[in-house]
Amino acid sequence: MKSTDIKPDRFEYAKSLALDLFNSLNGKNRVGVILAGSVPVVVLKPTQDKDAVRTTIMSLKPTDQNADIGNALYTAVKLAEKGGVVVVFTDGADEQRGKSIDDVLILAKKMNIDVFFIKTGKNSYNAGISDFYVGRVSQNSLNYSGFV
């Protein structure tokens, strides 16, 4: 979500979309915030406190963890009320380790919960350093080389 194909970056763009959506709701809606990482984090349980929701969204920071959208979606569906709505802001990069997104969508349908995905990037590619090595060029040398 730190990619900059959307300015200023995907995460900030997702936050602005979430705030726009939130600001369009009436005061009776309960809104919760879940940060999808390798383990989903319930940052704010569903509430009608508009200031708490706004402050929470604005304070969110991206992490370097891979997102597990299936588990985050499952957490959101379990917190949602029957007949509720879950909105997922994602760049499409998903490292599925837990719940299958398809299985969670079936559960949501059984609970009469609508799920919407809002894409926040031009593609789902994310670049990151997966391995890094630094070593001396030779035993007698003070020069070092690095490989990514």
Side-chain angles (χ1 to χ4, degrees):
M1 291 288 279
K2 293 181 183 179
S3 294
T4 57
D5 56 330
I6 303 290
K7 299 296 179 197
D9 62 42
R10 293 177 183 181
F11 195 82
E12 290 301 318
Y13 179 67
K15 284 173 39 176
S16 71
L17 292 176
L19 283 169
D20 288 346
L21 175 63
F22 171 70
N23 288 328
S24 72
L25 300 175
N26 68 43
K28 296 179 182 179
N29 296 102
R30 291 171 25 94
V31 176
V33 178
I34 298 170
L35 190 59
S38 58
V39 175
V41 176
V42 178
V43 182
L44 182 67
K45 291 183 179 178
T47 181
Q48 289 180 317
D49 183 341
K50 291 187 109 174
D51 290 333
V53 174
R54 192 173 290 106
T55 300
T56 298
I57 293 171
M58 289 172 43
S59 70
L60 293 174
K61 302 284 185 226
T63 69
D64 290 326
Q65 299 176 356
N66 293 325
D68 186 343
I69 301 299
N71 276 340
L73 180 57
Y74 179 77
T75 302
V77 166
K78 289 306 229 175
L79 285 175
E81 298 171 350
K82 286 192 183 265
V85 174
V86 172
V87 181
V88 179
F89 297 90
T90 178
D91 62 4
D94 177 32
E95 186 174 296
Q96 186 174 328
R97 289 178 298 281
K99 305 281 184 192
S100 153
I101 292 173
D102 291 337
D103 289 346
V104 179
L105 290 173
I106 292 168
L107 173 65
K109 186 172 183 171
K110 288 179 184 175
M111 295 176 64
N112 196 30
I113 295 172
D114 292 326
V115 178
F116 298 94
F117 290 86
I118 298 177
K119 189 132 166 47
T120 60
K122 294 180 180 174
N123 57 52
S124 60
Y125 303 126
N126 278 317
I129 296 174
S130 60
D131 197 7
F132 185 74
Y133 170 80
V134 174
R136 284 190 175 167
V137 174
S138 69
Q139 280 187 326
N140 298 328
S141 173
L142 296 177
N143 294 325
Y144 289 84
S145 292
F147 299 96
V148 177

